[in-house]
Amino acid sequence: MSAGVLAVVPSAQAADPPDPAAKKKQLDSQINSQKADLNQSYDQLAKSVAAYNQAETQYKAVQVKYAAAQGKLAAAKAADVVAAGKLKQAEAALQTAMNAVDAGEQVILQQKQIAGRAVRSAYQQQNSLVGLSIVLRGASPADLATGMQVQRNVFGIQGNAITRLNDAQAQLANQRVKVAEAEKIVAAQRAEAARTVQEVTALTQQVAADKAEAAAVAATRLTTQQAAEKDKNSELAQYNALVSERNRVQQILVARARAEKAAAARRKAAAEAAERAKAKKEHRPPRTVPNDPGSSSGLSYPINTYITSPYGMRFHPILHYWKLHDGTDFGAGCGTPIHAAASGVVTDRYYNGGYGNRLFISHGVIRGDSITTVYNHLSRYKVRVGQHVVKGQVIGYVGTTGYSTGCHLHFMVYQDGVVVNPMKWL
């Protein structure tokens, strides 16, 4: 059986990593918060996606806030236009009223002049001696009638002038009341216009602030989006690398398993032939030839601890596809001893970017199947390639090398070169 052919990195990388004792205490405190799943550290990916989701939520909220501020600003501008229109109308009405007052004052002035002339004429013509002089002069009845008609006409002119003057004064008073009312309306409209201008100014500033905030949040959103996308690509690349490594190893172990089973069959056939020859010579029935020593028992737990992630298919919560978790994860602090699950030969040990420090032990044929166990993410090794180990022997120590979320052992079982659920053998 060939050994050490699985490693695809320079021998310098296969050397024992430094002792993690200095970091053990720090790493142990993180065990409970770690969730190993196919040894893919999507912790950072989850954080970056969460940051992006938070930025997206904040961005939407700011956009709503910005849109609302714009709506308020538009409404305020519309109200300002209405208020300005009302003010303009009120000022026009006030001016009209003031013009009417000016016109009324001119009418009164004219009516006063007319009334004054009527009074002077009455004074001149309506003297009380007029009638007496007519009588004293012996005027005829016709002359007397004419004089009295003149008197009535003079009084009529005087009364009409006074009436028009009184009417003009009443209209002027009414116009002055309208001016006062118009002045109040103008004052109210000016106050309303001032409020709308102030509101427009404040909302304009608010819109500018919201726009700046939206721009800042948009920039943060873009940054977090790019980070999340980068981490997603990294996560996918790591997973693809794990799949490639698993497939590569599987091809080699399938060939090994075939050769191992063929060799075991040849050994058993040779042993059975020898037993038949011996039995014939001794004149007895041939005895059953057992399988290779130690090949009938199962595997034992490499660490006596709890399972953090079992073997099986997983749905990636962020990448949204199904993937195989190709082993059983045992939670333990860095530096915890790892024991051989069964007796066998160390065939390979090397570093891989996904699985970290790896150790392969071939256990030969067990219950008719070629079995190889693999121990991943080791902090350091305790055995070398080609060394024979016994069941329960310390072969290395728990670590978090490779693409790992924290200190743990990722334990794998290859049955006839194909990865299977380790629990069926433990």
Side-chain angles (χ1 to χ4, degrees), residues 24 56 64 96 322 390:
K24 181 177 183 299
E56 178 73 8
V64 171
T96 299
W322 289 91
V390 297

Side-chain angles (χ1 to χ4, degrees), residues 181-368:
E181 292 176 352
E183 286 177 342
K184 291 181 181 179
I185 294 175
V186 167
Q189 294 304 323
R190 283 177 178 169
E192 181 180 352
R195 285 195 301 271
T196 57
V197 169
Q198 185 178 6
E199 184 176 0
V200 167
T201 301
L203 286 173
T204 301
Q205 295 173 350
Q206 182 64 48
V207 166
D210 290 345
K211 184 177 181 180
E213 183 181 2
V217 172
T220 301
R221 172 175 172 264
L222 178 61
T223 301
T224 55
Q225 182 181 16
Q226 292 173 341
E229 193 65 27
K230 179 180 178 181
D231 288 337
K232 280 184 179 181
N233 293 335
S234 175
E235 181 80 5
L236 184 59
Q238 289 287 354
Y239 175 68
N240 290 335
L242 285 173
V243 173
S244 297
E245 168 70 2
R246 185 170 68 232
N247 293 338
R248 184 186 72 85
V249 169
Q250 184 165 298
Q251 291 178 354
I252 296 174
L253 292 186
V254 165
R256 278 189 187 176
R258 290 172 181 170
E260 192 174 55
K261 292 179 75 172
R266 288 193 298 270
R267 288 193 298 271
K268 185 173 183 180
E272 288 176 344
E275 171 59 23
R276 286 194 299 270
K278 184 177 180 181
K280 184 177 181 180
K281 185 177 180 179
E282 295 177 354
H283 304 288
R284 62 174 176 78
R287 299 185 181 94
T288 302
V289 177
N291 294 325
D292 290 344
S295 63
S296 60
S297 61
L299 305 178
S300 63
Y301 278 68
I303 302 178
N304 185 20
T305 183
Y306 55 93
I307 295 175
T308 58
S309 185
Y311 175 94
M313 296 300 294
R314 300 286 187 276
F315 182 76
H316 199 290
I318 297 173
L319 299 180
H320 301 293
Y321 63 79
W322 289 91
K323 58 184 179 58
L324 174 65
H325 184 237
D326 57 4
T328 299
D329 287 349
F330 294 94
C334 283
T336 301
I338 301 171
H339 305 272
S343 298
V345 177
V346 178
T347 60
D348 301 271
R349 77 175 198 184
Y350 62 92
Y351 177 85
N352 173 263
Y355 291 101
N357 292 314
R358 314 190 76 188
L359 181 68
F360 291 72
I361 299 178
S362 173
H363 305 288
V365 178
I366 301 178
R367 297 198 293 267

Side-chain angles (χ1 to χ4, degrees), residues 44 46 72 103 170 265 294 335:
Q44 181 58 41
K72 290 181 179 179

Side-chain angles (χ1 to χ4, degrees), residues 112-176:
K112 283 183 177 180
Q113 293 174 351
I114 293 173
R117 288 197 296 270
V119 169
R120 286 194 297 273
S121 175
Y123 178 77
Q124 292 171 359
Q125 300 181 28
Q126 195 57 20
N127 194 307
S128 58
L129 297 177
V130 172
L132 179 59
S133 62
I134 292 174
V135 174
L136 292 176
R137 286 200 307 263
S140 65
D143 292 334
L144 180 59
T146 300
M148 296 193 63
Q149 183 62 40
V150 170
Q151 182 180 4
R152 284 196 295 271
N153 290 340
V154 170
F155 286 155
I157 293 171
Q158 180 183 7
N160 290 337
I162 293 173
T163 298
R164 286 194 294 271
L165 176 60
N166 291 335
D167 290 342
Q169 288 177 334
Q171 290 178 1
L172 178 60
N174 184 48
Q175 289 165 350
R176 284 176 175 169

Side-chain angles (χ1 to χ4, degrees), residues 391-404:
K391 187 175 186 177
Q393 180 179 338
V394 176
I395 57 174
Y397 300 92
V398 172
T400 184
T401 55
Y403 201 43
S404 169

